[in-house]
Amino acid sequence: DAGITQSPRYKITETGRQVTLMCHQTWSHSYMFWYRQDLGHGLRLIYYSAAADITDKGEVPDGYVVSRSKTENFPLTLESATRSQTSVYFCASSDFGSKGSYEQYFGPGTRLTVT
Amino acid sequence: GESVGLHLPTLSVQEGDNSIINCAYSNSASDYFIWYKQESGKGPQFIIDIRSNMDKRQGQRVTVLLNKTVKHLSLQIAATQPGDSAVYFCAEPSNTGNQFYFGTGTSLTVIP
C-alpha cells in the first residue's frame, strides 16, 4: 500500500528495555522525521534524515538512536527505555521543498508506554 | 530559538459558524508557514501553507491570513462542520530550514 506506515501501533515495555519503532514510506521522499507528542508540548522533533545515511538531531534527541540505510525506512530505537519516554511517536516524510512545498506526511503514530 | 505559540488552546463553535484559530510566531525571518489538522487518534494532516510574500491564501473552506507586522497568522474555517473537530497546529521552519517547529495546538470542537 502506498503511504507511510508505522509499527507497532501500540507498545508496552519495561524500563531499561530496548525498543525499536519502525517507519516505512513508499513515496521515495528524501526527508524523514521522528516526532514525539505529549500533552502541553505539541510535536517535538527527535531526529530527522535528509537522505539515506544522513541523520541529524532535532529538539529532543537524548535517549534515542536512528538509522537510515534505505530511503524508505527510518527506524527509531530507544536504547534503554525510561518512563519519560512514554509518548505518542509520529514518523513523517517529505520532499521538503523540492516541489515548492514543505508539507510533511505523517504516519498514524505509535503509542508507547514504558512501565 | 523560534517559538510558535497558539492563542486559546480550546475553541468551541456552533456548526455552520466560522472558526478562527490564531498563531503567533517569534522569528521575523520566517518565510513559510503551514497549518496542520490532527483528528483524534491520527497523525497530523496538511491543510494549507503560505509564504511570507503573501498576506492571504485561500483553500477549500479555509483561509490563512498572515500579518508580518505583528508576526501573527490565523486560520479561518468557513461554515464549520462536525468533521472539522480536531486539533490545529501552525508550523514554521527553523533558521536552517531543515526542520519545522510546531505550536502546541488549538483544539476545535464543533457543536451540532
Side-chain angles (χ1 to χ4, degrees):
Chain A
D1 292 335
I4 182 164
T5 57
Q6 294 182 234
S7 63
R9 294 293 315 278
Y10 303 91
K11 177 73 176 178
I12 300 174
T13 191
E14 295 176 342
T15 299
R17 290 194 179 267
Q18 182 180 84
V19 177
T20 296
L21 310 184
M22 305 300 293
C23 180
H24 175 78
Q25 53 106 355
T26 61
W27 295 299
S28 299
H29 285 161
S30 57
Y31 277 78
M32 295 188 75
F33 307 84
W34 273 108
Y35 294 90
R36 60 177 290 172
Q37 186 173 38
D38 307 287
L39 279 174
H41 289 282
L43 285 160
R44 292 183 291 175
L45 183 66
I46 304 170
Y47 271 95
Y48 68 97
S49 169
D53 297 322
I54 300 175
T55 62
D56 208 346
K57 297 178 180 179
E59 184 182 355
V60 289
D62 292 344
Y64 303 95
V65 174
V66 294
S67 62
R68 194 164 175 211
S69 57
K70 294 183 178 181
T71 299
E72 62 267 29
N73 296 324
F74 191 37
L76 174 74
T77 297
L78 288 66
E79 292 190 300
S80 179
T82 66
R83 289 193 181 89
S84 65
Q85 293 178 308
T86 292
S87 186
V88 180
Y89 291 85
F90 288 99
C91 178
S93 71
S94 175
D95 274 336
F96 225 59
S98 68
K99 298 178 182 177
S101 171
Y102 291 84
E103 175 182 356
Q104 294 180 40
Y105 297 80
F106 284 82
T110 295
R111 183 175 294 275
L112 176 68
T113 301
V114 183
T115 63
Chain B
E2 295 88 349
S3 67
V4 181
L6 281 161
H7 303 295
L8 296 176
T10 62
L11 178 65
S12 295
V13 298
Q14 290 289 139
E15 182 178 356
D17 288 351
N18 296 333
S19 302
I20 300 176
I21 300 170
N22 297 304
C23 182
Y25 63 94
S26 60
N27 184 0
S28 58
S30 291
D31 60 356
Y32 182 83
F33 302 89
I34 302 181
W35 281 98
Y36 286 90
K37 172 187 180 183
Q38 185 178 22
E39 297 177 56
S40 180
K42 298 183 178 180
Q45 184 176 20
F46 173 89
I47 302 173
I48 192 168
D49 57 4
I50 188 168
R51 295 193 175 277
S52 61
N53 60 356
M54 304 171 71
D55 296 324
K56 178 180 179 179
R57 190 171 189 205
Q58 288 184 296
Q60 187 176 12
R61 281 200 308 116
V62 296
T63 300
V64 57
L65 300 177
L66 176 61
N67 185 330
K68 295 179 285 293
T69 302
V70 295
K71 292 184 288 187
H72 178 273
L73 66 158
S74 65
L75 178 72
Q76 300 179 2
I77 305 173
T80 312
Q81 302 170 358
D84 295 326
S85 292
V87 177
Y88 291 82
F89 297 93
C90 64
E92 65 172 331
S94 66
N95 285 333
T96 61
N98 282 338
Q99 56 183 287
F100 270 76
Y101 294 106
F102 287 77
T104 52
T106 291
S107 177
L108 174 66
T109 300
V110 180
I111 303 166

